[in-house]
Amino acid sequence: MDSGSENLRVVVGVDGSGPSQEALRWAARHARLTGAVVEAVCVWETPSEVGWAGPATEAGFDLEDARRRFSDGIEAVFGDARPAVVHEILVRGDPSEVLVKASEGADLLVVGNRGRGAFARAVLGSVSQRCAQHAACPVVVVKAKAAGRS
Protein backbone atom coordinates (compact mmCIF):
# COMPACT_ATOMS: atom_id res chain seq x y z
CA MET A 1 0.00 0.00 0.00
CA ASP A 2 1.65 3.23 -1.08
CA SER A 3 -0.60 5.72 0.67
CA GLY A 4 0.90 5.19 4.14
CA SER A 5 -0.27 3.68 7.37
CA GLU A 6 -3.07 6.20 7.92
CA ASN A 7 -5.29 3.98 5.78
CA LEU A 8 -4.50 0.67 7.48
CA ARG A 9 -7.63 -0.84 8.99
CA VAL A 10 -7.93 -3.87 11.24
CA VAL A 11 -11.42 -5.26 11.85
CA VAL A 12 -11.94 -7.41 14.95
CA GLY A 13 -15.07 -9.32 15.94
CA VAL A 14 -16.04 -8.71 19.57
CA ASP A 15 -18.75 -10.63 21.41
CA GLY A 16 -17.59 -10.47 25.02
CA SER A 17 -16.21 -14.02 25.07
CA GLY A 18 -12.68 -14.80 26.25
CA PRO A 19 -11.47 -15.58 22.73
CA SER A 20 -12.91 -12.32 21.35
CA GLN A 21 -11.24 -10.37 24.17
CA GLU A 22 -7.92 -11.99 23.24
CA ALA A 23 -8.60 -11.13 19.58
CA LEU A 24 -9.19 -7.49 20.54
CA ARG A 25 -5.95 -7.38 22.56
CA TRP A 26 -4.07 -8.94 19.63
CA ALA A 27 -5.58 -6.46 17.16
CA ALA A 28 -4.67 -3.50 19.39
CA ARG A 29 -1.05 -4.71 19.69
CA HIS A 30 -0.88 -5.21 15.92
CA ALA A 31 -2.32 -1.73 15.34
CA ARG A 32 0.25 -0.21 17.67
CA LEU A 33 3.04 -1.83 15.63
CA THR A 34 1.63 -0.98 12.20
CA GLY A 35 -0.09 2.36 12.79
CA ALA A 36 -3.49 0.91 11.89
CA VAL A 37 -6.88 1.78 13.32
CA VAL A 38 -8.96 -0.96 14.92
CA GLU A 39 -12.65 -1.32 14.18
CA ALA A 40 -14.08 -3.40 17.02
CA VAL A 41 -17.28 -4.82 15.53
CA CYS A 42 -19.98 -6.22 17.79
CA VAL A 43 -23.02 -7.83 16.19
CA TRP A 44 -26.38 -7.98 17.93
CA GLU A 45 -29.79 -9.41 17.16
CA THR A 46 -33.17 -8.77 18.73
CA PRO A 47 -33.82 -12.10 20.49
CA SER A 48 -37.44 -12.38 19.36
CA GLU A 49 -36.39 -12.09 15.71
CA VAL A 50 -34.76 -15.50 15.97
CA GLY A 51 -37.56 -17.54 17.52
CA TRP A 52 -41.29 -17.97 17.75
CA ALA A 53 -41.83 -15.06 20.10
CA GLY A 54 -43.08 -12.61 17.49
CA PRO A 55 -41.94 -9.03 16.99
CA ALA A 56 -39.89 -7.31 19.67
CA THR A 57 -41.93 -4.96 21.79
CA GLU A 58 -38.95 -2.89 22.92
CA ALA A 59 -36.30 -3.09 20.18
CA GLY A 60 -34.71 0.09 21.58
CA PHE A 61 -34.12 -1.66 24.89
CA ASP A 62 -32.29 -4.46 23.11
CA LEU A 63 -30.11 -1.93 21.27
CA GLU A 64 -29.30 -0.04 24.47
CA ASP A 65 -28.50 -3.31 26.23
CA ALA A 66 -26.23 -4.30 23.33
CA ARG A 67 -24.46 -0.90 23.46
CA ARG A 68 -23.91 -1.19 27.21
CA ARG A 69 -22.58 -4.75 26.99
CA PHE A 70 -20.30 -3.78 24.10
CA SER A 71 -18.84 -0.80 25.98
CA ASP A 72 -18.47 -2.89 29.14
CA GLY A 73 -16.65 -5.56 27.12
CA ILE A 74 -14.22 -3.04 25.64
CA GLU A 75 -13.60 -1.61 29.10
CA ALA A 76 -12.99 -5.12 30.48
CA VAL A 77 -10.19 -5.57 27.93
CA PHE A 78 -8.48 -2.18 28.26
CA GLY A 79 -9.75 -0.57 31.46
CA ASP A 80 -8.75 3.09 31.53
CA ALA A 81 -5.91 2.45 29.06
CA ARG A 82 -8.12 2.10 26.00
CA PRO A 83 -6.14 2.90 22.84
CA ALA A 84 -7.45 5.90 20.89
CA VAL A 85 -7.22 3.86 17.67
CA VAL A 86 -9.98 1.46 18.81
CA HIS A 87 -13.36 2.43 17.38
CA GLU A 88 -16.60 0.71 18.42
CA ILE A 89 -18.99 -0.37 15.70
CA LEU A 90 -22.27 -2.00 16.72
CA VAL A 91 -24.17 -3.72 13.90
CA ARG A 92 -27.39 -5.69 13.84
CA GLY A 93 -27.29 -8.94 11.88
CA ASP A 94 -25.59 -12.30 11.52
CA PRO A 95 -22.03 -12.24 12.95
CA SER A 96 -20.27 -14.02 10.11
CA GLU A 97 -22.10 -12.03 7.42
CA VAL A 98 -21.39 -8.71 9.15
CA LEU A 99 -17.69 -9.51 9.68
CA VAL A 100 -17.20 -10.72 6.10
CA LYS A 101 -18.81 -7.51 4.85
CA ALA A 102 -16.66 -5.43 7.23
CA SER A 103 -13.55 -7.16 5.87
CA GLU A 104 -14.06 -5.47 2.49
CA GLY A 105 -11.32 -2.87 2.19
CA ALA A 106 -9.71 -3.91 5.48
CA ASP A 107 -6.09 -4.97 5.77
CA LEU A 108 -6.83 -7.67 8.32
CA LEU A 109 -9.76 -9.37 10.04
CA VAL A 110 -9.18 -10.73 13.56
CA VAL A 111 -11.59 -13.13 15.23
CA GLY A 112 -11.54 -15.30 18.31
CA ASN A 113 -11.83 -19.07 18.24
CA ARG A 114 -14.29 -20.50 20.72
CA GLY A 115 -12.78 -23.95 20.34
CA ARG A 116 -15.94 -25.93 19.65
CA GLY A 117 -15.54 -29.61 19.07
CA ALA A 118 -15.73 -31.12 15.60
CA PHE A 119 -19.36 -32.22 15.98
CA ALA A 120 -20.62 -28.81 17.12
CA ARG A 121 -18.62 -27.10 14.38
CA ALA A 122 -20.10 -29.43 11.75
CA VAL A 123 -23.66 -28.92 12.97
CA LEU A 124 -23.58 -25.27 13.95
CA GLY A 125 -20.81 -23.89 11.79
CA SER A 126 -18.26 -21.45 13.10
CA VAL A 127 -18.03 -17.69 12.71
CA SER A 128 -14.23 -17.89 12.61
CA GLN A 129 -14.35 -20.67 10.01
CA ARG A 130 -16.81 -18.79 7.78
CA CYS A 131 -14.73 -15.62 8.09
CA ALA A 132 -11.55 -17.49 7.17
CA GLN A 133 -13.28 -18.92 4.11
CA HIS A 134 -15.08 -15.82 2.86
CA ALA A 135 -13.32 -12.67 4.11
CA ALA A 136 -12.00 -10.18 1.58
CA CYS A 137 -8.68 -9.84 3.45
CA PRO A 138 -6.29 -12.02 5.47
CA VAL A 139 -7.78 -13.45 8.69
CA VAL A 140 -6.11 -14.08 12.04
CA VAL A 141 -7.89 -16.51 14.39
CA VAL A 142 -6.85 -15.98 18.01
CA LYS A 143 -7.37 -18.62 20.69
CA ALA A 144 -8.08 -17.66 24.29
CA LYS A 145 -5.20 -18.14 26.66
CA ALA A 146 -5.44 -21.28 28.76
CA ALA A 147 -5.77 -20.82 32.51
CA GLY A 148 -2.37 -20.41 34.10
CA ARG A 149 -0.62 -19.30 30.88
CA SER A 150 0.50 -15.76 30.29
Side-chain angles (χ1 to χ4, degrees):
M1 184 176 272
D2 59 9
S3 57
S5 64
E6 67 273 0
N7 293 328
L8 294 177
R9 186 168 67 94
V10 176
V11 175
V12 59
V14 178
D15 66 5
S17 67
S20 81
Q21 290 176 335
E22 288 300 322
L24 182 55
R25 284 183 192 98
W26 191 97
R29 285 191 304 268
H30 178 78
R32 188 172 49 244
L33 294 171
T34 62
V37 297
V38 175
E39 292 181 357
V41 177
C42 180
V43 182
W44 73 284
E45 292 180 307
T46 303
S48 64
E49 291 178 357
V50 183
W52 294 90
T57 56
E58 293 186 64
F61 172 80
D62 292 326
L63 176 59
E64 289 307 313
D65 187 46
R67 280 188 186 128
R68 182 184 50 76
R69 288 182 189 193
F70 187 26
S71 289
D72 290 350
I74 299 286
E75 185 176 329
V77 171
F78 298 114
D80 292 334
R82 177 186 172 153
V85 297
V86 175
H87 305 284
E88 295 179 22
I89 300 174
L90 183 63
V91 180
R92 187 169 149 190
D94 174 80
S96 55
E97 290 176 14
V98 168
L99 291 172
V100 167
K101 177 85 172 142
S103 75
E104 295 173 5
D107 296 282
L108 192 63
L109 172 61
V110 183
V111 293
N113 179 357
R114 291 231 180 161
R116 286 188 180 137
F119 179 75
R121 206 170 31 250
V123 173
L124 301 173
S126 162
V127 171
S128 59
Q129 183 177 26
R130 287 188 296 251
C131 287
Q133 291 173 335
H134 301 290
C137 65
V139 178
V140 172
V141 179
V142 178
K143 291 182 95 169
K145 291 182 179 176
R149 282 185 15 204
S150 55

